[in-house]
Structures are given as C-alpha cells and as structure tokens.
Amino acid sequence: MDMPIWIWFVFIGIIVSAIMSIWTARQERLIDDAWIEKEGQKYIERMEEERERRKKDINQGA
C-alpha cells in the first residue's frame, strides 16, 4: 500500500466532513424542535386565553 500522503489527507478530510455534516444536521434538528415546541406552547396559550375571554363574554351577556 504505497499511496501518496495527499491521498490519505483527502480521505481523512472526507471522513471529517461527513462527521461534521451529521453533527451539524443533528444540532439544527434540536434547535428546530425547540423552536417548534415554543411556538406551539404560545399557540396553546392563545387558544386558552380566547376560550376564557369567550366564557366571560357569555357569562356577562346572560
């Protein structure tokens, strides 16, 4: 196995690049999941506030 050293560097670079790509994709997915969870919680809170407001309106009108 008498290969030039630059071939080894290219091979190592490809492997490092693949590992970093996988790691970055995982980090982005975690950030996206956290953002989605936060936005979903805001939506639920707005729905509950609207439900309470409607209950008050119905009780005041009756």
Side-chain angles (χ1 to χ4, degrees):
M1 249 173 61
D2 219 13
M3 290 194 291
I5 191 83
W6 67 270
I7 291 178
W8 288 106
F9 285 128
V10 169
F11 182 68
I12 291 170
I14 290 170
I15 291 174
V16 169
S17 178
I19 291 170
M20 292 302 293
S21 176
I22 292 168
W23 183 78
T24 302
R26 182 175 181 274
Q27 293 298 317
E28 287 179 355
R29 187 171 55 246
L30 292 174
I31 290 169
D32 287 346
D33 288 347
W35 183 82
I36 290 169
E37 180 71 28
K38 184 175 124 184
E39 292 299 313
Q41 188 61 38
K42 286 181 185 177
Y43 180 73
I44 290 171
E45 288 172 3
R46 277 190 240 130
M47 286 188 337
E48 290 172 352
E49 289 171 1
E50 180 66 19
R51 185 179 299 130
E52 291 298 320
R53 187 187 64 78
R54 287 184 185 194
K55 282 183 184 177
K56 285 182 183 179
D57 289 348
I58 290 172
N59 289 339
Q60 289 177 355

